[in-house]
């Protein structure tokens, strides 16, 4: 995630995290783990109250949706395959602003009720712990965007020529029923039917499209586990370019209202080059497709690392010059945040600190200022009272998460040396590929790979209240 404009910075610091070596204590087993096993009606993550649900683990979503920009109406059929992690007489799914027509569990009609933004499902028969089950939900309505106090407009947003479904930390529940927390990753098969002439872009590998009766169905498959906030749907008039890179599909799309030879198109055209640069440092690219989408919708003021196909708001290209720095940032997230995902939002620096540092690496490689020059400028501007770890919900997109987080990454590099540092990063992206992790997990892995104690160093750079000395 990259925002245009200045990010908010907060004041809250957890005193317990300011003790040397306390990062493991502060960021060990997520406190919501027991709630999830019990089947709680949310994931227990204070950064996203009411989001996520316990009692089951989703393996995959199959989504079939139809959207008509003429009346903004969406109809959908979601098939969710999951395993019960507790005995369940009922369970919840996150779903906002849409009306449910019918629900079936394992083919049998199930009771359902909408309680706020929660869809409560009561199967005809209880589900035993360990049971694999399938939920089918038929739903429809006019999806609505969501206004986040921490980010801006997201969710499902109708545009002049279609729609965009996008946002962090939540957006998925505005267009399909979901366990909306990154701790429950799943695979996706998505079919999107739109009027002929419009593109319908999603995550993963394109698996064909067909047309009939004035409508075209676009099909996408993301076979690698994906956090729900990383799913996207972009509908409208786009110039879509499909090719291959390193033997995998590459799909880029630029809004037709943007110049074909403009800065957005020029930036996305370097996607493969940027990916290869990052892969040399972080290890093999973790997904089966590449790409990016450049929007013309001015209400989207950020770029988001939607899995395999980042989405870029128009603000990054208004200068009239290409911005490959934002491309490097969002592509770095494919390793840090998408493949290795958060167990809880308080550790968001693991996403943004590494992506910001990757942006610094790319800018140096591409002839911009050196990493050392960037570090000096950011170090001088840092408010050291703001923590990178557990910054508080209001500050989860603040400078401490991005810039101070990246400074911590650089301090680790300077301490370990390039050879060991990049071995740590490659071990992290390899061993944790497709899963979830915490800050404590990263500290433990870095110490194991390097053979050094690193808790005090990372405490000072991530949560300490005074400026640490540059190593």
């Amino acid at each position: 995630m990259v925002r245009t404009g200045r990010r908010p910075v907060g004041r809250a610091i957890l005193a317990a995290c300011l003790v040397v070596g306390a990062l493991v204590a502060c960021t060990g087993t997520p406190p919501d783990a027991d709630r999830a096993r019990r089947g709680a009606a949310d994931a227990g993550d204070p950064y996203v109250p009411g989001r996520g649900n316990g009692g089951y683990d989703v393996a995959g979503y199959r989504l079939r949706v139809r959207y008509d920009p003429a009346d903004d109406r969406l109809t959908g059929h979601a098939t969710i395959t999951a395993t019960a992690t507790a005995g369940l007489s009922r369970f919840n799914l996150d779903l906002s602003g849409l009306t449910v027509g019918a629900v079936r569990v394992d083919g049998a009609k199930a009771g359902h009720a909408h309680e706020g933004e929660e869809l409560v499902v009561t199967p005809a028969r209880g589900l035993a712990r360990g049971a694999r089950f399938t939920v089918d939900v038929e739903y429809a309505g006019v999806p609505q965007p969501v206004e986040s106090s921490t980010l801006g407009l997201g969710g499902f947003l109708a545009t002049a020529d279609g729609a965009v479904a996008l946002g962090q930390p939540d957006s998925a529940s505005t267009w399909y029923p979901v366990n909306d927390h990154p701790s429950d990753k799943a695979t996706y098969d998505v079919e999107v039917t739109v009027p002929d002439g419009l593109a319908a872009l999603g995550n993963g590998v394109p698996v064909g499209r067909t047309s009939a009766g004035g409508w075209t169905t676009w099909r996408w498959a993301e076979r690698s586990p994906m956090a729900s906030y990383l799913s996207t749907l972009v509908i409208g008039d786009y110039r879509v370019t499909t090719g291959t890179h390193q033997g995998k599909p590459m799909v880029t799309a630029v809004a037709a209202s943007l110049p074909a030879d403009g800065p957005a198109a020029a930036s996305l055209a370097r996607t493969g080059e940027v990916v290869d640069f990052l892969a040399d440092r972080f290890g093999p690219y973790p997904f089966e497709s590449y790409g990016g989408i450049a929007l013309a919708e001015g209400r989207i003021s950020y770029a988001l690392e939607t899995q395999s196909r980042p989405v870029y708001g128009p603000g990054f290209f208004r200068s009239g010059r290409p911005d490959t720095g934002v491309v490097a940032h969002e592509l770095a997230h494919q390793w840090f945040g998408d493949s290795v995902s958060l167990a809880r939002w308080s550790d968001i620096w693991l996403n943004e600190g590494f992506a910001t540092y990757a942006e610094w690496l790319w800018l140096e490689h591409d002839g911009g200022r050196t990493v050392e020059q960037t570090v000096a400028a950011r170090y001088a501007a840092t408010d050291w009272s703001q923590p990178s770890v557990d910054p508080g919900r209001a500050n989860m997109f603040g400078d401490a998460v991005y810039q101070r987080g990246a400074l911590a990454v650089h301090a680790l590099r300077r301490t370990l040396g390039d050879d060991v540092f990049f071995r740590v990063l490659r071990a992290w992206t390899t061993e944790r590929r497709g899963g979830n992790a915490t800050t404590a997990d990263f500290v433990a892995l870095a110490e194991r790979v390097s053979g050094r104690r690193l808790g005090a160093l990372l405490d000072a750079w991530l949560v300490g209240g005074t400026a640490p000395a540059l190593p």
Side-chain angles (χ1 to χ4, degrees):
M1 163 76 71
V2 175
R3 289 190 60 174
T4 56
R6 182 168 176 80
R7 305 178 189 95
V9 181
R11 305 294 303 177
I13 299 176
L14 288 184
C17 288
L18 296 178
V19 180
V20 171
L23 281 174
V24 172
C26 286
T27 60
T29 302
D32 51 276
D34 287 338
R35 292 171 58 85
R37 285 191 289 268
R38 291 198 308 267
D42 66 64
D45 188 332
Y47 283 62
V48 284
R51 293 297 180 186
N53 299 284
Y56 61 92
D57 178 63
V58 177
Y61 295 91
R62 178 180 172 83
L63 308 176
R64 288 175 287 168
V65 300
R66 179 185 177 107
Y67 179 71
D68 189 350
D71 58 9
D72 294 336
R73 184 171 176 80
L74 181 144
T75 58
H77 185 131
T79 301
I80 304 165
T81 304
T83 299
T85 57
L88 297 175
S89 59
R90 71 178 201 173
F91 57 90
N92 286 29
L93 292 163
D94 299 299
L95 184 65
S96 306
L98 296 169
T99 300
V100 173
V103 179
R104 292 183 176 274
V105 176
D106 291 334
K109 184 177 179 180
H112 63 89
H114 232 135
E115 298 179 0
E117 297 181 340
E118 294 288 308
L119 175 63
V120 183
V121 177
T122 305
R125 295 176 296 278
L127 300 168
R129 179 179 180 180
R132 188 174 176 87
F133 63 98
T134 299
V135 186
D136 286 278
V137 182
E138 296 177 7
Y139 59 99
V142 176
Q144 299 298 316
V146 293
E147 183 72 37
S148 169
S149 61
T150 57
L151 180 62
L153 200 63
F156 195 101
L157 175 65
T159 63
D161 60 353
V164 177
L166 189 71
Q168 187 182 3
D170 49 31
S171 64
S173 65
T174 63
W175 64 286
Y176 64 95
V178 59
N179 193 12
D180 205 2
H181 192 272
S183 59
D184 193 3
K185 300 169 71 171
T187 61
Y188 282 73
D189 288 279
V190 181
E191 299 180 6
V192 188
T193 301
V194 295
D196 285 348
L198 298 183
L201 303 156
N203 307 87
V205 175
V207 287
R209 63 181 186 259
T210 56
S211 296
W215 295 80
T216 299
T217 299
W218 297 63
R219 297 176 178 84
W220 304 91
E222 179 51 87
R223 301 302 188 195
S224 298
M226 180 166 70
S228 54
Y229 81 95
L230 298 171
S231 63
T232 190
L233 179 60
V234 177
I235 297 169
D237 187 7
Y238 285 81
R239 291 188 300 273
V240 180
T241 302
T242 301
T244 59
H245 182 76
Q246 302 289 1
K248 297 178 180 180
M250 168 87 83
V251 180
T252 58
V254 178
S257 60
L258 298 176
D261 58 353
S267 299
L268 266 63
R270 298 185 70 185
T271 293
E273 178 188 354
V274 176
V275 166
D276 290 346
F277 169 81
L278 297 174
D280 284 343
R281 286 143 186 84
F282 303 152
Y285 180 74
F287 302 121
E288 292 305 312
S289 65
Y290 306 90
I293 304 171
L295 306 177
E297 175 51 63
R299 290 173 293 173
I300 300 298
S301 60
Y302 51 88
L304 184 60
E305 61 269 21
T306 45
Q307 191 158 306
S308 75
R309 196 151 293 113
V311 178
Y312 304 93
F316 297 96
F317 310 110
R318 287 195 179 118
S319 68
R321 298 186 302 272
D323 185 348
T324 55
V326 69
V327 174
H329 185 108
E330 304 310 331
L331 290 176
H333 274 308
Q334 305 307 304
W335 287 266
F336 298 97
D338 293 14
S339 178
V340 186
S341 300
L342 301 175
R344 60 188 184 191
W345 284 107
S346 58
D347 286 322
I348 189 173
W349 85 274
L350 286 170
N351 292 8
E352 301 300 349
F354 282 97
T356 300
Y357 194 68
E359 185 179 350
W360 298 354
L361 292 173
W362 167 258
L363 291 175
E364 179 180 73
H365 169 79
D366 201 39
R369 65 180 177 179
T370 67
V371 171
E372 294 295 341
Q373 289 172 327
T374 302
V375 166
R378 295 302 185 185
Y379 181 88
T382 294
D383 179 351
W384 297 98
S385 71
Q386 312 305 319
S388 299
V389 180
D390 206 355
R393 176 176 167 81
N395 305 304
M396 62 190 294
F397 300 112
D399 282 343
V401 169
Y402 289 71
Q403 308 301 331
R404 184 174 177 175
L407 289 172
V409 174
H410 185 70
L412 183 64
R413 179 185 179 187
R414 290 285 297 269
T415 299
L416 298 181
D418 280 9
D419 180 64
V420 176
F421 171 76
F422 286 109
R423 279 202 283 119
V424 167
L425 267 54
R426 286 189 288 269
W428 179 250
T429 61
T430 300
E431 295 181 22
R432 290 284 176 170
R433 180 172 178 165
N436 299 83
T438 65
T439 298
D441 294 325
F442 179 76
V443 174
L445 180 140
E447 291 186 335
R448 173 172 58 81
V449 173
S450 68
R452 301 181 60 169
R453 298 294 296 273
L454 299 169
L457 173 79
L458 290 171
D459 271 354
W461 282 92
L462 291 169
V463 297
T466 58
L470 281 164

